[in-house]
Amino acid sequence: MMETSPFVVDFDWLEVKIGTPGVAIVDASWYLPAQKRDAKAEHDAGHIPGAVFFDQDLVVEPGSDLPHTLPSPGVFAQFAGSMGISADDTIVVYDGPGMFSAPRVWWMFRIMGAKQVFVLDGGFDRWKADGRPVTDEPTKIAPSFFETDFDEARVARLDDMRATVGKGQVADARPAGRFAGTDPEPRKGVRSGHMPGAVNVPATGLSREGKLLPVNELRALLRDRGVDLDKPVVTSCGSGVTAAVITLALESVGHTDNKLYDGSWTEWGGRSDTPVETG
């Protein structure tokens, strides 16, 4: 029997939980412009019954000049409460393809104090193809109180990265071409390449058909990519979304000494005073 991550749930598990009090279902779909998909429009057209839409472009720190900046605990609590979610709920997060944008919201809920947070293995596209329940009825939301217990130690900021780069471990989830600097960044004014000493762990390689790889495969893949699982790791990507797929993989194999670099490459590569390597 292959060991699956303790942080994912399958379709059968979720289907019988639909409508259960204390189970919150969250559609965290988000797409890059190149994917040509509108997450909110897709949610409105069809979602898992009872799901609420978590807008990753909206639930951010107001006034930040970077995309997807983690909101302060107070701002996050307001958004979560308005979605009818409390920190005591069992929270299941999903996205369209599976293991793309959902892990970011899984990470956010966890660092904000929720204890029972899971990602739906397989994603909504396959849920729909599988003939599982789908509705276009807007979910009726009873506002809730989300009591935060923010774990600041799980978030890396620019100063942390200046101290880490070249000395500690950075695992970058971007595709190989962007990491190497051979493909351009999708955001204007952002240099190509990677942080000196970083290793490339493309987020897309950590799942198969929208499902997170089994624990033994994750462990082997992370090691093959140059990650030392006995040492601290900082995860990074383009704007802090897919870095969380590596975070999910690390937590799944029992590695808990990790942080996510919230500004990620948009911040690092968008500055002129940060070192960048290519190749």
Side-chain angles (χ1 to χ4, degrees):
M1 185 80 179
M2 285 205 278
E3 186 188 352
T4 55
S5 167
F7 302 109
V8 301
V9 294
D10 63 22
F11 290 174
D12 290 344
W13 186 95
L14 181 59
E15 188 170 348
V16 298
K17 295 282 194 295
I18 290 171
T20 304
V23 175
I25 306 172
V26 180
D27 180 352
S29 300
W30 171 86
Y31 299 105
L32 290 159
Q35 289 168 287
K36 294 185 167 50
R37 293 180 67 168
D38 183 328
K40 179 65 167 72
E42 288 188 23
H43 174 86
D44 292 344
H47 50 265
I48 297 174
V52 293
F53 185 69
F54 189 110
D55 190 331
Q56 297 207 51
D57 291 323
L58 186 66
V59 187
V60 296
E61 186 57 27
S64 172
D65 57 357
L66 293 168
H68 308 127
T69 301
L70 184 73
S72 66
V75 171
F76 184 87
Q78 282 181 314
F79 276 113
S82 71
M83 293 176 208
I85 301 171
S86 85
D88 296 328
D89 286 340
T90 296
I91 302 165
V92 180
V93 189
Y94 72 85
D95 61 36
M99 301 303 151
F100 178 66
S101 58
R104 165 74 183 194
V105 174
W106 165 86
W107 174 77
M108 290 171 79
F109 272 112
R110 291 182 84 221
I111 65 165
M112 289 297 177
K115 298 286 185 279
Q116 296 290 315
V117 196
F118 304 93
V119 179
L120 180 64
D121 228 6
F124 182 65
D125 296 346
R126 286 172 190 82
W127 172 279
K128 209 161 42 171
D130 209 24
R132 305 283 177 157
V134 173
T135 183
D136 61 1
E137 289 285 316
T139 298
K140 291 184 175 66
I141 298 170
S144 179
F145 174 68
F146 189 98
E147 186 173 358
T148 56
D149 179 13
F150 180 46
D151 190 354
E152 174 74 52
R154 305 310 288 269
V155 187
R157 313 286 186 183
L158 182 62
D159 287 346
D160 299 317
M161 297 313 293
R162 290 193 194 278
T164 299
V165 168
K167 302 179 194 75
Q169 292 195 96
V170 179
D172 188 324
R174 291 174 302 149
R178 287 169 59 190
F179 180 86
T182 53
D183 293 344
E185 283 297 305
R187 294 177 176 87
K188 280 183 183 150
V190 179
R191 294 172 290 168
S192 292
H194 58 266
M195 298 168 216
V199 297
N200 191 204
V201 185
T204 50
L206 297 167
S207 62
R208 191 182 298 120
E209 296 181 345
K211 294 182 178 181
L212 194 67
L213 295 177
V215 169
N216 61 325
E217 288 186 43
L218 288 174
R219 197 175 283 119
L221 187 149
L222 289 163
R223 285 184 174 139
D224 286 349
R225 286 284 175 173
V227 178
D228 184 340
L229 295 171
D230 296 322
K231 292 179 180 170
V233 181
V234 180
T235 64
S236 181
C237 60
S239 66
V241 174
T242 60
V245 185
I246 306 179
T247 306
L248 174 61
L250 289 167
E251 293 282 329
S252 297
V253 302
H255 184 289
T256 56
D257 191 359
N258 60 73
K259 299 174 186 254
L260 187 150
Y261 175 24
D262 196 47
S264 277
W265 191 252
T266 302
E267 180 172 53
W268 191 271
R271 301 178 66 92
S272 57
D273 62 347
T274 46
V276 170
E277 280 183 354
T278 55

